[in-house]
Amino acid sequence: MNKITKCQQLSENEFDIWVEAPRIANKGLPGQFLIVRADEFSERIPLTIVDTNKKEGTIQLIFQVIGKSTAKLATLQAGDTIADVSGPLGVAADIKQYGTVLLVGGGVGIAALYPIVKGLKEAGNRVITILGAKTAELVILQDECRAVSDELIIMTDDGTLGRKGLVTNAMEEVYTRETIDQTWAIGPSMMMKFCTAVASDHDVPVFVSLNPIMIDGTGMCGGCRVTVADSIKFACVDGPEFLGTEVNWDEFIQRMKQYQTEETDSLTMYQKEQMAHGETK
Amino acid sequence: MARRSREQTAIREQEPSIRKTNFEEVCLGYNLEEGQLEAARCLQCKNAPCIEKCPVMIDIPGFILAIRDGDMAEASEVLSKYTNLPAICGRVCPQEKQCESVCKLGLAKNFEPVAIGKLERLVADWALENEQAVAKRTEPVIGKVAVIGSGPSGLTVAGDLAKEGFDVTVYEALHAPGGVLTYGIPEFRLPKRIVQKEIASIEKLGVTIETNAVIGKTITMDEIMAEFDACYLSVGAGAPNFMGIPGTSLNGVYSSSEYLTRINLMHGYQFPRYDTPTKHSKKVVVIGGGNVAMDAARSAKRLGADEVSVVYRRSLEELPARIEEYHHSVEEDIQYNWLTNPVEYLSNGKGELSGVKCVKMALGEPDESGRRRPVVIPGSEFTIEADTVIEAIGQGSNQVLLSTFPELTLNKWGYVEADSATGATSVPGVFAGGDIVTGAATVILAMGAGKVAAKSMAEYVKEKKQFSPVS
């Protein structure tokens, strides 16, 4: 179990791996996530299930190296084993027939958006997808998203792919030209906050997928608590999907920063060790 | 015969000034000689009241007699008839409320009771070091049972049923088994190598433990029911309660579950060797008065906090924590604010905790638990400066599994309804015990429930097999 069957580097810091996990492959639904621990010293980190292959009993994960835990995962090759993979966790996305849906993904959040795009298309919706990233090489899963969307719009900050601008600019245009029944926005918290504002300006309900700090991922610690509609919710068991308009964004963004110092120190120390290790080879 | 000492044989402990800087075990335990000295204090009562007061009814005079005679193998044999986790119970049971509370020696004027827990621990530690592994049973398998949750209750059922000749699989949601023994109770009270060894000795009986299996998610209850002859639910009471006062979402506010899980399960105290971070807190306030509050406060001190204080709404007299742990905490410079309750967490303006606003309480009339109910003294507000606050105000039932199993009858608090004499639930073949039935209680009560359930599960499966023989 947990053997990596395939891996590829998508960009400088983004990696795509397939892992043997037959039970999760069988049960995982769009919107659900896993808790992954690279080795016995590692943290437990949440990663979304991007895709599943029931026949082969494998699941796809895409992650961006932002700290020590993801840096460690990035060193793993096909044939290596991940110490712990637990899931599927969280409540699945609310996939059903809405009519026309607009899906917005930013950066590595596209990985979490893709299974929902696919699910909504299979459920018979007309699907419009907006993908956004800083630059061309960070627009992941383009072909996959295109294959399950009726229309695909790409936005980059530097204009190296699609149009130059923010995903919210593209959202405004779509809302202005046609009626959207439901929107999803998944990406950096600041992006989700602004997408929520744009969607609610146009009276379109919007789901977001929150990615707070988690430890167990099964509702036993409350580390991932968020304020939704003025009450405490645990993103790991009550979410990760919530209505964007009900999320207390400022608080959520603040809580994401809790371990910034420790995380930076930990990564720097790891990179130094890796370099020292490399030099002695 | 020499006169019995009035006092218990002294136990060796780490010095408070040293131990408050490390996570090593505080109590160092008896050696054989000290154990024999203590064992000689036992009166060997005919109708020993200590047995009645032990939730798993260990033959206490029996194993103590063997210690006195220096026959540790015999002492261990006696213990193993009754308990699967003696090294753990010897350490964490509130003996002062159980076996030791009715010790006849202790009831004599000016005498301390026999140190039963310390003696149990001595035998168990000896056994973990010296005993050969029990060979895996090869007799025909009576039936297959699943145990959901690998805490003390589940491990007890697993051990007992494996000894009876059942094929037992334990499913654990986390990456390491043990439940609260692993993620909750800190190293300085219960070393994890002891927990691992004790779990390994249960695996040697032929029990399979599968980690990273979240029942209700990874495997459904339908699948469990289809594959096994019976199942035991022992998922504990692991959903943290928050008081819900203003400021709960500030950075620096933790549930005790999160704080202790980071430290114990994830080895946060060994950051950055282990990757899960803990904060370098300076001033810590712990809310609550149970064992969990003591554990959190003493852990915070060991992580290097300058000041750690406990805020408790009642007084020392009502403190639910073990008195030994309270004394240990005082020796380690933990401060106490009795009759105090938090009303708000204050922010430094950057989303971080800066202080805890509290009120003073007075004790009023006794409530339904018989303890005097604390009432707020008007105008008594004051603030304790703090960068970290840990709420240890109790846990509720985790709904992850229960929400996927609507057939199961729950009580009004969300716990599973189970017959206390058999552990049977509303669903045939499904038994339950431990904190998921009683709400947060003690390790030994969870084990006691496991003993009861194991017996009736064995009967249930045998009866079922008689009517529908395996083809």
Side-chain angles (χ1 to χ4, degrees):
Chain A
M1 275 220 287
N2 308 343
K3 199 163 101 179
I4 297 175
T5 55
K6 270 187 279 184
C7 73
Q8 66 165 317
Q9 190 163 359
L10 299 177
S11 68
E12 192 191 345
N13 282 321
E14 288 169 320
F15 295 80
D16 175 358
I17 59 176
W18 282 83
V19 184
E20 260 176 26
R23 280 176 181 158
I24 300 169
N26 257 315
K27 298 229 166 60
L29 293 170
Q32 290 190 299
F33 65 96
L34 306 168
I35 290 281
V36 170
R37 204 170 70 115
D39 62 42
E40 61 166 321
F41 296 100
S42 292
E43 284 180 275
R44 295 168 65 93
I45 58 165
L47 291 175
T48 306
I49 305 169
V50 180
D51 206 350
T52 59
N53 184 329
K54 287 192 170 73
K55 221 174 82 194
E56 291 177 9
T58 54
I59 51 171
Q60 183 185 23
L61 303 175
I62 291 178
F63 58 91
Q64 184 181 10
V65 174
I66 49 163
K68 184 176 175 185
S69 296
T70 39
K72 271 182 175 179
L73 274 182
T75 64
L76 298 177
Q77 304 292 323
D80 291 344
T81 295
I82 299 177
D84 299 288
V85 180
S86 165
L89 301 171
V91 178
D94 195 4
I95 304 283
K96 60 182 183 197
Q97 165 68 262
Y98 291 89
T100 304
V101 290
L102 174 64
L103 291 108
V104 188
V108 76
I110 297 169
L113 187 80
Y114 167 65
I116 300 173
V117 179
K118 195 175 155 191
L120 286 166
K121 182 67 198 168
E122 284 164 5
N125 292 282
R126 193 171 98 80
V127 176
I128 303 170
T129 304
I130 301 170
L131 303 182
K134 281 201 182 96
T135 187
E137 70 153 0
L138 298 177
V139 185
I140 56 174
L141 297 170
Q142 272 177 65
D143 297 340
E144 289 85 347
C145 286
R146 184 169 286 115
V148 290
S149 304
D150 294 279
E151 184 185 347
L152 182 78
I153 303 167
I154 295 175
M155 305 294 291
T156 48
D157 293 2
D158 61 2
T160 47
L161 186 71
R163 282 157 45 203
K164 187 173 164 146
L166 300 170
V167 288
T168 41
N169 304 137
M171 282 174 82
E172 288 281 2
E173 284 177 26
V174 174
Y175 287 145
T176 311
R177 80 172 188 234
E178 63 185 293
T179 307
I180 301 293
D181 299 294
Q182 180 70 44
T183 292
W184 268 261
I186 306 178
S189 35
M190 205 55 90
M191 180 204 107
M192 291 194 283
K193 179 185 170 177
F194 284 110
C195 289
T196 297
V198 174
S200 48
D201 278 351
H202 293 270
D203 290 324
V204 181
V206 56
F207 283 124
V208 295
S209 179
L210 299 185
N211 52 343
I213 295 171
M214 286 189 191
I215 302 128
D216 63 288
T218 61
M220 61 162 262
C221 85
C224 68
R225 67 188 185 275
V226 290
T227 304
V228 177
D230 295 323
S231 65
I232 296 177
K233 297 281 179 199
F234 292 180
C236 70
V237 289
D238 301 318
E241 194 167 290
F242 295 102
L243 280 170
T245 43
E246 294 188 342
V247 173
N248 182 331
W249 288 103
D250 295 340
E251 180 190 297
F252 176 71
I253 291 165
Q254 186 60 44
R255 281 184 63 80
M256 294 284 280
K257 296 179 192 159
Q258 275 185 92
Y259 288 96
Q260 232 164 27
T261 324
E262 290 81 0
E263 282 160 6
T264 313
D265 291 352
S266 186
L267 179 62
T268 313
M269 210 176 301
Y270 176 71
Q271 284 166 336
K272 270 187 194 155
E273 276 168 28
Q274 291 301 100
M275 259 155 59
H277 191 65
E279 278 160 19
T280 56
K281 259 185 192 166
Chain B
M1 192 171 168
R3 266 186 57 175
R4 282 187 172 78
S5 158
R6 287 176 187 277
E7 280 105 42
Q8 294 184 347
T9 308
I11 194 123
R12 284 166 292 121
E13 285 178 348
Q14 271 200 77
E15 279 298 314
S17 61
I18 295 169
R19 73 182 192 232
K20 71 183 183 190
T21 64
N22 69 47
F23 275 83
E24 306 287 310
E25 194 170 19
V26 167
C27 176
L28 303 171
Y30 286 144
N31 59 29
L32 183 57
E33 197 182 326
E34 291 158 346
Q36 283 186 289
L37 200 61
E38 182 62 19
R41 293 179 69 235
C42 176
L43 299 168
Q44 290 294 317
C45 307
K46 277 276 176 300
N47 298 312
C50 52
I51 301 180
E52 287 292 317
K53 265 285 191 179
C54 168
V56 297
M57 295 188 71
I58 293 174
D59 174 9
I60 292 166
F63 90 81
I64 291 183
L65 185 67
I67 300 177
R68 198 193 71 186
D69 296 343
D71 188 349
M72 295 302 276
E74 169 63 18
S76 164
E77 178 69 31
V78 174
L79 273 186
S80 69
K81 279 185 200 147
Y82 304 92
T83 166
N84 295 313
L85 306 164
I88 290 163
C89 287
R91 285 175 167 84
V92 304
C93 271
Q95 289 100 3
E96 70 274 16
K97 291 176 188 155
Q98 297 175 342
C99 54
E100 294 177 17
S101 73
V102 293
C103 171
K104 281 191 187 160
L105 185 68
L107 295 175
K109 202 174 176 217
N110 297 328
F111 273 86
E112 285 181 351
V114 175
I116 301 168
K118 303 282 192 301
L119 289 174
E120 179 184 21
R121 168 191 161 149
L122 168 69
V123 177
D125 285 359
W126 178 90
L128 288 176
E129 292 303 322
N130 296 285
E131 282 192 337
Q132 296 301 311
V134 183
K136 189 176 168 174
R137 305 218 160 213
T138 49
E139 61 207 62
V141 166
I142 298 173
K144 282 180 75 176
V145 295
V147 173
I148 321 296
S150 68
S153 197
L155 290 174
T156 299
V157 167
D160 277 10
L161 288 179
K163 283 182 197 166
E164 285 265 319
F166 285 84
D167 180 354
V168 186
T169 305
V170 180
Y171 294 102
E172 167 57 49
L174 293 174
H175 61 262
V180 74
L181 308 171
T182 296
Y183 71 76
I185 305 174
E187 188 78 19
F188 55 81
R189 229 158 47 84
L190 181 63
K192 299 308 150 214
R193 68 186 153 75
I194 298 286
V195 177
Q196 280 157 14
K197 274 188 177 181
E198 211 130 83
I199 291 171
S201 66
I202 286 174
E203 287 181 291
K204 280 174 195 154
L205 296 168
V207 172
T208 306
I209 301 180
E210 273 200 43
T211 53
N212 297 318
V214 185
I215 306 304
K217 297 278 185 186
T218 316
I219 305 170
T220 63
M221 277 307 289
D222 283 347
E223 289 169 308
I224 295 281
M225 304 288 283
E227 193 185 335
F228 295 93
D229 298 311
C231 130
Y232 184 62
L233 295 180
S234 47
V235 295
N241 295 331
F242 286 94
M243 299 187 75
I245 60 178
T248 302
S249 59
L250 289 172
N251 291 350
V253 179
Y254 294 88
S255 73
S256 54
S257 312
E258 177 184 353
Y259 197 75
L260 292 171
T261 299
R262 281 181 179 275
I263 292 171
N264 299 320
L265 177 71
M266 304 313 297
H267 293 259
Y269 66 98
Q270 290 169 294
F271 178 81
R273 188 167 118 78
Y274 283 80
D275 300 345
T276 305
T278 52
K279 278 282 172 195
H280 292 288
S281 309
K282 291 192 171 64
K283 297 187 176 189
V284 180
V285 171
V286 177
I287 317 289
N291 287 317
V292 176
M294 305 293 110
D295 287 344
R298 297 172 70 198
S299 296
K301 192 81 201 176
R302 283 162 169 78
L303 287 175
D306 301 329
E307 285 171 31
V308 180
S309 59
V310 172
V311 164
Y312 182 50
R313 64 200 182 113
R314 292 181 156 109
S315 58
L316 173 58
E317 212 174 302
E318 291 86 13
L319 197 76
R322 287 196 68 191
I323 202 70
E324 179 181 349
E325 305 310 331
Y326 165 71
H327 288 311
H328 279 149
S329 75
V330 171
E331 288 169 1
E332 291 163 12
D333 295 335
I334 309 294
Q335 308 294 313
Y336 282 80
N337 289 286
W338 305 113
L339 292 163
T340 304
N341 215 23
V343 289
E344 186 181 353
Y345 301 128
L346 305 172
S347 167
N348 67 354
K350 291 184 280 182
E352 295 159 357
L353 180 79
S354 65
V356 180
K357 193 197 273 182
C358 298
V359 286
K360 296 299 277 181
M361 313 291 281
L363 290 178
E365 293 301 306
D367 62 13
E368 55 277 11
S369 77
R371 296 184 301 179
R372 294 173 66 195
R373 187 194 299 275
V375 287
V376 177
I377 299 176
S380 63
E381 278 185 9
F382 70 106
T383 298
I384 308 172
E385 203 186 314
D387 55 9
T388 299
V389 68
I390 305 161
E391 285 196 1
I393 57 160
Q395 294 95 243
S397 84
N398 188 320
Q399 295 295 311
V400 169
L401 184 155
L402 303 181
S403 64
T404 66
F405 195 26
E407 304 91 314
L408 197 66
T409 307
L410 307 181
N411 66 20
K412 63 176 169 176
W413 298 281
Y415 295 109
V416 176
E417 276 205 355
D419 184 334
S420 60
T422 62
T425 69
S426 59
V427 179
V430 177
F431 296 76
D435 286 3
I436 192 55
V437 172
T438 58
T442 60
V443 169
I444 187 70
L445 285 176
M447 286 183 52
K451 288 235 106 106
V452 166
K455 226 173 138 199
S456 48
M457 285 172 78
E459 281 163 20
Y460 170 85
V461 175
K462 282 175 191 165
E463 199 166 310
K464 181 170 144 185
K465 292 274 165 158
Q466 247 170 20
F467 292 112
S468 55
V470 189
S471 50

